[in-house]
Amino acid sequence: INAEYGEVSMDSMHLQLVVLSVLAITTSAGLPSTSPPTVSGISAGGYMAVQLQVAFSETFSGAGVIAGGPFYCAQANLPTALSSCMTSPALISVAELATITRSTVFTGTIDPVRNLESHRVYLFSGTQDTVVHPGVMSKLNQYYLAMGVLPENIASQFSIPAEHAFVTADFGNNCSFKGPPYMNNCNFDSAGAILHQLYPGQIQPPQPADPRRVLGFSQSKFLEVGYTLVTAALSDEGYVYMPSGCDIGKCALHVALHGCLQDWEVNNGLFVNHTYNDWAEANQMIVLYPQARRTAVNPKGCFDWWGYTGVDYACKLGAQMRAVKNMVDHFNLAYGST
């Protein structure tokens, strides 16, 4: 079923995927089914990716971050988010954020920091980014090192003259353009670069994705008690790309988080359809695309990295954090490495 036809139940989704698998002529060998989940994101989604990686470091094994920043950079304060964490990286104290992270472990609301030591990381910042200063990403690199991530496990690309955008090899606006859908053609495949770093030596060349395998699902069932889709600022539907064969076998799982003004309703699914799916099809990798909701306190549909859903936004107790983790657990149990 194509996502444009509306959301489907999990049972219906499975039936449709079985039919599609019967129709599929070939499937690639793909990533090992035992590969732990990974996560990536751009801008607000980049900050959210770091939060998920740090808080659930026993679940995720790495992250790709485009124009994001260090864990808990905003410290539940919007002015700090808009200044230190976007335009004035000199104000970011990596030592302070590292101390906060380690202290938070003792509350049980994030996993032990030692898990990060084996994680793999990919960092991207365009030299022309006027939204998130490249220096913020440099601070993120320093943060990872302070958390014990091995230097050889961190790869970065900070030399491409890109504006604030998800950078592709052949889709989107000019590389230096700033504006919707915040996807720029810079003759560089950032999705591929991220996956090569997170799964070293295992990624096969991309193959054309099957658009019928972009499926919508209700996000409401993944909310914790006490939240609604509005208070959690999550859209009615999330999306998942399910490659040929993943419904009848176990597959790797990657979470891809959009930036502000990139949710499905705003850009008609461009982020979902022009980032990871070709790579996913070739590598037997399920890609989960959670969707943020535009609300009065979140008018641009950003994932929460400054506290608009509550002061616990960055830890395991956060409304969006818990919901995305529940999605990961569901799809991993049904189709993934669990």
Side-chain angles (χ1 to χ4, degrees):
I1 185 170
N2 199 320
E4 66 180 330
Y5 295 118
E7 78 177 42
V8 295
S9 70
M10 294 302 172
D11 289 341
S12 176
M13 177 187 293
H14 183 74
L15 176 60
Q16 292 153 18
L17 290 171
V18 169
V19 173
L20 288 173
S21 285
V22 172
L23 295 175
I25 298 176
T26 61
T27 57
S28 60
L31 291 167
S33 62
T34 54
S35 301
T38 55
V39 61
S40 67
I42 172 175
S43 196
Y47 271 106
M48 184 70 171
V50 174
Q51 290 173 188
L52 286 164
Q53 179 192 20
V54 172
F56 297 107
S57 60
E58 292 183 356
T59 296
F60 295 99
S61 63
V65 186
I66 300 173
F71 178 80
Y72 204 58
C73 183
Q75 300 187 44
N77 184 278
L78 181 57
T80 300
L82 295 175
S83 57
S84 305
C85 305
M86 293 182 70
T87 62
S88 304
L91 299 177
I92 299 174
S93 171
V94 171
E96 179 186 12
L97 296 177
T99 297
I100 290 172
T101 305
R102 292 192 177 92
S103 298
T104 305
V105 171
F106 295 108
T107 69
T109 58
I110 67 172
D111 287 341
V113 170
R114 65 176 179 272
N115 297 325
L116 296 171
E117 296 176 5
S118 61
H119 280 210
R120 298 186 65 83
V121 173
Y122 185 87
L123 308 175
F124 181 96
S125 180
T127 62
Q128 304 301 311
D129 195 324
T130 60
V131 177
V132 177
H133 191 286
V136 177
M137 285 293 288
S138 295
K139 288 297 182 79
L140 175 57
N141 185 57
Q142 295 173 31
Y143 173 83
Y144 278 125
L145 292 173
M147 289 295 97
V149 178
L150 298 176
E152 58 266 33
N153 284 352
I154 302 174
S156 61
Q157 173 52 263
F158 293 164
S159 63
I160 293 176
E163 244 291 358
H164 190 71
F166 191 100
V167 168
T168 77
D170 55 11
F171 177 82
N173 299 311
N174 291 333
C175 194
S176 61
F177 181 80
K178 175 186 174 182
Y182 296 97
M183 300 181 70
N184 288 1
N185 179 359
C186 297
N187 195 32
F188 181 80
D189 192 330
S190 58
I194 288 170
L195 295 178
H196 276 289
Q197 172 63 10
L198 299 185
Y199 302 97
Q202 303 175 72
I203 296 296
Q204 301 300 312
Q207 297 177 3
D210 183 346
R212 296 172 300 174
R213 291 184 166 273
V214 176
L215 305 174
F217 63 90
S218 172
Q219 295 192 128
S220 62
K221 68 172 291 183
F222 300 106
L223 295 174
E224 292 294 293
V225 175
Y227 288 101
T228 67
L229 289 171
V230 174
T231 58
L234 290 173
S235 294
D236 291 351
E237 283 191 324
Y239 297 88
V240 61
Y241 184 79
M242 192 74 66
S244 308
C246 284
D247 46 293
I248 56 176
K250 296 298 186 179
C251 291
L253 176 67
H254 182 76
V255 180
L257 300 161
H258 65 75
C260 304
L261 297 175
Q262 283 189 321
D263 60 275
W264 183 285
E265 292 183 7
V266 166
N267 70 12
N268 197 31
L270 293 179
F271 182 83
V272 171
N273 287 304
H274 292 280
T275 50
Y276 289 98
N277 296 349
D278 289 352
W279 291 99
E281 184 63 33
N283 290 280
Q284 293 292 278
M285 180 182 69
I286 298 165
V287 184
L288 177 62
Y289 296 99
Q291 298 289 298
R293 175 188 291 267
R294 285 164 288 133
T295 67
V297 296
N298 182 38
K300 295 185 178 181
C302 309
F303 282 104
D304 189 7
W305 63 278
W306 68 89
Y308 67 79
T309 60
V311 295
D312 54 5
Y313 69 96
C315 73
K316 293 181 179 182
L317 303 178
Q320 294 179 358
M321 296 281 286
R322 190 69 249 171
V324 174
K325 177 60 162 54
N326 289 341
M327 295 176 199
V328 169
D329 289 346
H330 170 82
F331 284 99
N332 216 24
L333 179 62
Y335 307 105
S337 60
T338 301

